[in-house]
Amino acid sequence: MWKTLFVLPLLLAELASGQTIKREDFTVDSDPGVKIFVREITARKRSRKPPILLLHGGGSGAIASFDLPMPGGSLAEDLAKAGNHVFIMNARGWENSTRPDYDTLKRWTIAGSSIEISHDIDAVVDFIRERTKDKQVTLFGWATGGQWMGYYACIYPNRVAALIMLNSLYNEKAPWYFTDAFRSPLDTSQFNYASSPVLRRATKAQVLETWNRSIPNEDKSQWRDSALAQLYAATAVGFYEDSILAVPGGYRAEAFYTAQGKGQWHAKEIRVPILYMRGAYDTWSRPQDLLALQLRLENSPKKQFLTLPEGSHHVFLDRPEKGRAQLIQEITAFNVKRK
């Protein structure tokens, strides 16, 4: 359906840019019964950079987040045009990857935990290494995706060329926008499993809420194309029954504890080059995350930290002057082969 609807505008955009962009879709086996969607996006000219894998966060999946078919809507395509060999993936439960049969009535379940998602990442990294003949893959994760990618990089540093995190939490006890919403009223140091469903559900309007919240102006069109925002929301929910986003919600519990300094991994375990970026207006990550990583990444061979001064939570879909152009430039400059 996606190819049928959108191949013409994509083709016209490619002709206008003078570059031919190729997309190819694959399914990769993860755990038994779990199949992971992967899309490869390449330009005509062969890349000299390590392949880069983009992973979504806890809301919209990879296609909605990184490969919308209109100008300014595909981070993956624009990275490919900048000389990167790009792959995007959907973790289990998102868009067109396998949706595990989580018991939605069962409490105390971490659906889509870091352990589970690390298996999906590993399967895709193996696929990319075999397909490209590169030994290492650069990992890019947005928000919760950055936390998952960091977890994976701690386990398999030999497979990782670099780690790039955008608007991600780190393991630091500090004020967090979502703390009150997520914690138990009986014990405020604990996540409120009792009132948190296994699946996170959201309408189109709710999908846009986080983006809206992180744009400081009442007129959101100053930060983004209104048509792009509507396409994003429609695509984000379009893979699910009744057009209601329904994805594994375990990331919320892990994020809650990460924001209390009780996360899944520690900076000293990162032994690969790392680029950490956050938008100044992001409400998921915090300035304290950037500072903590600066202080604690003692074993990373190369460290770079950046605040995008007008960046929102969805900076990769914002207008170029609001941080998107700089984001693409920084990713491309950091994604180089190292000895």
Side-chain angles (χ1 to χ4, degrees), residues 192-209:
N192 191 3
Y193 290 98
S195 65
S196 181
V198 173
L199 297 181
R200 177 208 170 177
R201 300 182 187 275
T203 63
K204 283 176 60 175
Q206 290 169 330
V207 165
L208 284 174
E209 184 179 337

Side-chain angles (χ1 to χ4, degrees), residues 81-94:
K81 289 177 179 176
N84 298 280
H85 189 165
V86 184
F87 294 82
I88 65 175
M89 66 170 283
N90 279 316
R92 65 184 72 190
W94 272 266

Side-chain angles (χ1 to χ4, degrees), residues 11-274:
L11 179 59
L12 292 175
E14 289 161 12
L15 291 174
S17 70
Q19 293 195 60
T20 300
I21 301 298
K22 179 181 177 182
R23 287 170 170 81
E24 193 167 356
D25 293 347
F26 304 90
T27 299
V28 175
D29 290 329
S30 181
D31 289 335
V34 176
K35 295 185 179 296
I36 301 302
F37 169 83
V38 182
R39 174 171 290 170
E40 180 182 29
I41 303 97
T42 54
R44 182 186 304 173
K45 187 175 180 181
R46 181 176 175 82
S47 175
R48 297 180 179 273
K49 297 174 173 291
I52 182 169
L53 172 62
L54 312 185
L55 179 58
H56 56 81
S60 56
I63 294 174
S65 301
F66 303 131
D67 201 24
L68 293 173
M70 66 177 290
S74 177
L75 176 65
E77 178 174 316
D78 289 340
L79 286 173
K81 289 177 179 176
N84 298 280
H85 189 165
V86 184
F87 294 82
I88 65 175
M89 66 170 283
N90 279 316
R92 65 184 72 190
W94 272 266
E95 289 187 348
N96 42 12
S97 287
T98 296
R99 297 175 194 171
D101 187 19
Y102 296 115
D103 179 3
T104 56
L105 299 178
K106 182 179 179 182
R107 296 174 179 176
W108 321 105
T109 298
I110 303 296
S113 66
S114 291
I115 293 174
E116 283 187 334
I117 305 305
S118 71
H119 297 174
D120 302 341
I121 297 168
D122 194 43
V124 176
V125 167
D126 272 349
F127 165 77
I128 295 172
R129 292 170 72 206
E130 181 177 351
R131 181 163 177 80
T132 64
K133 309 307 177 186
D134 282 283
K135 294 181 179 180
Q136 295 181 320
V137 178
T138 293
L139 306 179
F140 171 91
W142 167 45
T144 301
Q147 293 158 230
W148 289 329
M149 288 300 206
Y151 180 91
Y152 179 84
C154 292
I155 303 172
Y156 299 111
N158 60 311
R159 300 184 178 194
V160 179
L163 171 64
I164 303 175
M165 302 171 68
L166 172 66
N167 289 339
S168 297
L169 286 171
Y170 173 61
N171 192 12
E172 176 72 3
K173 185 176 182 179
W176 188 43
Y177 182 90
F178 297 93
T179 295
D180 288 342
F182 287 167
R183 66 184 173 189
S184 169
L186 301 177
D187 182 350
T188 57
S189 68
Q190 300 298 312
F191 181 76
N192 191 3
Y193 290 98
S195 65
S196 181
V198 173
L199 297 181
R200 177 208 170 177
R201 300 182 187 275
T203 63
K204 283 176 60 175
Q206 290 169 330
V207 165
L208 284 174
E209 184 179 337
T210 302
W211 194 358
N212 291 340
R213 187 190 309 119
S214 66
I215 294 176
N217 286 34
E218 187 68 27
D219 180 6
K220 308 305 178 185
S221 67
Q222 294 186 25
W223 251 256
R224 68 191 185 202
D225 184 305
S226 299
L228 177 58
Q230 292 305 310
L231 177 60
Y232 164 74
T235 305
V237 303
F239 290 86
Y240 307 94
E241 187 176 355
D242 298 325
S243 292
I244 302 294
L245 181 84
V247 298
Y251 73 92
R252 293 171 298 186
E254 292 190 342
F256 173 82
Y257 289 113
T258 296
Q260 316 308 314
K262 302 174 183 177
Q264 286 68 50
W265 54 273
H266 300 278
K268 66 180 180 181
E269 298 166 350
I270 297 292
R271 300 180 182 274
V272 301
I274 181 170

Side-chain angles (χ1 to χ4, degrees), residues 1-21:
M1 179 64 72
W2 188 92
K3 290 183 178 179
T4 301
L5 289 174
F6 300 128
V7 70
L8 181 57
L10 282 171
L11 179 59
L12 292 175
E14 289 161 12
L15 291 174
S17 70
Q19 293 195 60
T20 300
I21 301 298

